[in-house]
Amino acid sequence: MRRILESTQDGWNADMIYLDFAKAFDKVDHGILLHKLQNHGIMGSLGRWLHSFLTGRTQQVSVQGKLSEPSRVKSGVPQGSVLGPLLFIIHVEDIDEKLKYTEASSFADDTRLKRQITCPEDAANTQKDLNEIQIWAASNNMALNGEKFELVR
């Protein structure tokens, strides 16, 4: 944020793009997340416990007091849990690995890209990084909701 303030004080434009994941916590792919946890060295009994925590869950719907048949939960982190937001953050922490022109920051399911804009090429490069975010989302089985993106210039 400091660079953005300095940019505007120096008379330059700055772009901040707020991204939105569609059903962010529901879309976390268990296999991808467990692989990322393993890459962080989370294995052994803790790794098995997290695998058990994420997988094998079912859900039901209640309508007028009648329960549906249980349905297997295929993705997502349990909402309302202490671990849910932490697991989501681990899942998206590599979102900025391929970004060359913008700086990304995330808090839970809110991700923001920012960049100083001094010429039209800067805006074009920002779009290149947005394209990289789209590729990341597809490879991580996440969906971005472009209609909810916000650009602050």
Side-chain angles (χ1 to χ4, degrees):
M1 184 65 92
R2 184 173 177 198
R3 282 190 222 150
I4 297 297
L5 291 175
E6 289 172 356
S7 294
T8 57
Q9 288 172 348
D10 292 341
W12 299 108
N13 288 324
D15 282 356
M16 289 196 302
I17 303 166
Y18 293 86
L19 308 176
D20 183 72
F21 289 103
K23 300 184 180 189
F25 287 91
D26 296 332
K27 294 284 187 176
V28 174
D29 183 297
H30 294 153
I32 293 172
L33 174 58
L34 289 166
H35 181 73
K36 289 180 181 187
L37 289 168
Q38 213 171 24
N39 287 343
H40 282 291
I42 299 173
M43 296 179 258
S45 58
L46 179 58
R48 287 188 299 276
W49 183 85
L50 285 167
H51 181 274
S52 175
F53 178 73
L54 290 169
T55 61
R57 293 179 172 270
T58 60
Q59 63 185 8
Q60 293 176 284
V61 176
S62 174
V63 176
Q64 296 180 344
K66 297 190 182 208
L67 284 176
S68 67
E69 291 295 318
S71 177
R72 188 172 78 90
V73 176
K74 300 175 185 174
S75 64
V77 293
Q79 294 181 43
S81 69
V82 173
L83 281 178
L86 176 62
L87 292 171
F88 185 83
I89 289 169
I90 291 169
H91 185 65
V92 300
E93 76 175 342
D94 61 345
I95 194 169
D96 62 349
E97 279 185 356
K98 303 259 173 127
L99 303 184
K100 295 179 184 176
Y101 307 104
T102 60
E103 183 181 333
S105 59
S106 296
F107 180 77
D109 64 333
D110 296 320
T111 300
R112 175 182 64 196
L113 298 181
K114 55 189 173 185
R115 175 174 173 81
Q116 176 180 337
I117 304 295
T118 60
C119 63
E121 186 178 72
D122 289 340
N125 287 336
T126 299
Q127 182 60 53
K128 289 177 185 176
D129 276 357
L130 278 171
N131 295 344
E132 288 296 334
I133 295 282
Q134 185 69 38
I135 292 167
W136 178 92
S139 67
N140 283 273
N141 293 334
M142 298 291 290
L144 290 165
N145 185 355
E147 292 180 12
K148 289 190 176 180
F149 284 16
E150 292 288 335
L151 168 64
V152 177
R153 176 161 286 162

